[in-house]
Amino acid sequence: MLKKITTAASVIALCALTACGSGSGGAGNNGTNASGDTITMGFAQVGAESGWRTANTKSIQDEAKAAGIDLKFSDAQQKQENQIKAIRSYIQQKVKVIAFSPVVETGWDTVLLEAKRANIPVILTDRAIDSDDKSLYKTFLGSDFVEEGKKAGDWLVQNASGPTNVVELQGTTGAAPAIDRKKGFEEKIAAKPDIKIVASQTGDFTRSGGKQVMEAFLKSQPKIDVVYAHNDDMGLGAIEAIKAAGKVPGKDIKIITVDAVKDGMTALANGEINYIVECNPLLGKQLMELAKKVVKGEEVPPRVVTVEGTFTQEQAKAALPQRQY
Ligand code: GZL
């Protein structure tokens, strides 16, 4: 079981989100290419599955407007075939740059080769792809999900004592954040063999998915001490299931999640969640700056890692009033 949770005295140097990629550029910045034409960007979004995704979409749309970039936007409803269709449509429309968040890591080489042959640069945002051909995209802007999983696992190692049974609510099967958050978490908890993942299943990053899977875990598992949810939304779904089973979330069953969206931070401040690892969705400003460079043929770093922190219950109470999403 976990020993009494003490509020962490440590102050985590959090990224002041206004400095990390939110806030709008000067209104009407000229999003034009070298010959003065307006830059058109085709963006193929994963879907609208979570609070994180909503904030990410808003950041991209707001910052495109602020940068004077003409944004063509599509929502793939978490289906890879819809993202591929959208990318093909952007190629036919001869956009100047394509950006997207790959719903899963594999199956992109063919369509990205088509974009390359059409001389349209591609930027990966949020999630990565698993491809040997690094020439298929100019850069990958997003979080280090393995690091996020390690932060979650590290907190549990610091706060658990004795046999601790963990149930894991995984993100979308095959998605980079699901694969890497699992990997980082398992790497860290290996330090304490008493901490065991007794059940692990995808809730597809949605609140309903998290609730359904948690209901099944509560029926099948004789002893659950901790929920590790790959995002806040599944953690919030798990809270509903835990309450319906007559248990107290945050006390009878501790909860660790990733994202730090407003609903998650509110549950953390209320004591229903015990720890949240932040995943910054405000990628819009950095994406537009990268897009202007790649359209002009300027060099960009192959990897841009977003800065993000972690929150205890006390830190959530202090941070909530300033949160932008
Ligand atoms: C992470 C992002 C994940 C979020 C989820 O960068 O891809 O997808 O953690 C979202 O909330 O659904």
Side-chain angles (χ1 to χ4, degrees):
M1 273 300 285
L2 287 170
K3 58 190 173 212
K4 186 177 174 305
I5 301 290
T6 54
T7 49
S10 62
V11 177
I12 309 285
L14 296 184
C15 165
L17 287 177
T18 47
C20 279
S22 69
S24 57
N29 271 0
N30 67 329
T32 57
N33 63 11
S35 50
D37 303 327
T38 297
I39 294 176
T40 53
M41 171 187 281
F43 192 93
Q45 181 60 293
V46 165
E49 73 283 0
S50 64
W52 189 97
R53 190 65 55 197
T54 304
N56 179 247
T57 290
K58 185 176 185 309
S59 173
I60 287 156
Q61 291 173 333
D62 290 354
E63 294 300 340
K65 195 170 175 194
I69 285 176
D70 176 15
L71 181 71
K72 299 178 184 306
F73 185 90
S74 67
D75 169 341
Q77 294 168 337
Q78 288 189 284
K79 292 182 175 59
Q80 180 173 30
E81 63 268 24
N82 290 346
Q83 282 194 298
I84 291 173
K85 271 188 208 136
I87 291 170
R88 287 202 164 111
S89 156
Y90 297 144
I91 293 170
Q92 280 164 1
Q93 295 175 64
K94 299 186 178 4
V95 297
K96 295 291 181 209
V97 57
I98 289 169
F100 77 115
S101 169
V103 61
V104 293
E105 284 192 338
T106 55
W108 302 100
D109 285 32
T110 302
V111 71
L112 294 185
L113 205 50
E114 291 166 23
K116 184 178 176 184
R117 287 186 179 135
N119 291 318
I120 300 175
V122 172
I123 297 175
L124 300 185
T125 76
D126 170 27
R127 297 183 185 178
I129 65 172
D130 179 9
S131 170
D132 295 334
D133 186 351
K134 301 305 178 202
S135 75
L136 292 174
Y137 55 93
K138 293 295 180 188
T139 184
F140 165 39
L141 161 65
S143 303
D144 179 338
F145 301 128
V146 174
E147 199 49 42
E148 291 172 347
K150 284 182 178 176
K151 289 174 184 174
D154 198 39
W155 181 87
L156 187 54
V157 167
Q158 302 302 324
N159 288 278
S161 64
T164 303
N165 288 352
V166 180
V167 293
E168 181 180 30
L169 299 173
Q170 292 184 38
T172 303
T173 303
I179 293 166
D180 289 351
R181 284 172 184 164
K182 181 173 189 50
K183 182 177 170 200
F185 184 77
E186 288 176 344
E187 208 174 288
K188 279 293 179 182
I189 64 169
K192 259 190 178 174
D194 262 358
I195 301 174
K196 291 186 177 18
I197 298 176
V198 293
S200 180
Q201 191 179 325
T202 182
D204 212 18
F205 282 131
T206 65
R207 199 174 291 210
S208 60
K211 182 180 179 187
Q212 281 159 27
V213 174
M214 191 63 202
E215 284 165 349
F217 286 163
L218 286 160
K219 291 191 180 94
S220 64
Q221 295 302 321
K223 178 177 175 285
I224 299 174
D225 301 299
V226 177
V227 177
Y228 170 46
H230 290 184
N231 80 332
D232 291 353
D233 291 70
M234 293 190 291
L236 293 163
I239 286 171
E240 290 177 43
I242 291 167
K243 285 179 175 174
K247 295 178 184 289
V248 182
K251 292 190 176 16
D252 299 334
I253 298 179
K254 301 294 188 293
I255 300 178
I256 306 165
T257 67
V258 185
D259 276 351
V261 295
K262 194 153 281 183
D263 287 351
M265 291 286 274
T266 303
L268 179 61
N270 295 341
E272 293 182 325
I273 292 179
N274 299 86
Y275 192 65
I276 297 186
V277 176
E278 184 184 34
C279 179
N280 183 353
L282 305 181
L283 305 178
K285 186 170 173 46
Q286 291 168 288
L287 172 58
M288 299 311 151
E289 287 163 1
L290 287 164
K292 286 180 186 172
K293 287 181 185 289
V294 299
V295 165
K296 287 176 187 159
E298 291 174 11
E299 277 302 302
V300 292
R303 180 77 174 92
V304 180
V305 183
T306 39
V307 177
E308 49 207 22
T310 56
F311 292 94
T312 61
Q313 291 172 346
E314 288 314 305
Q315 287 162 341
K317 285 175 192 157
L320 254 176
Q322 292 82 35
R323 293 295 284 177
Q324 296 181 66
Y325 60 90

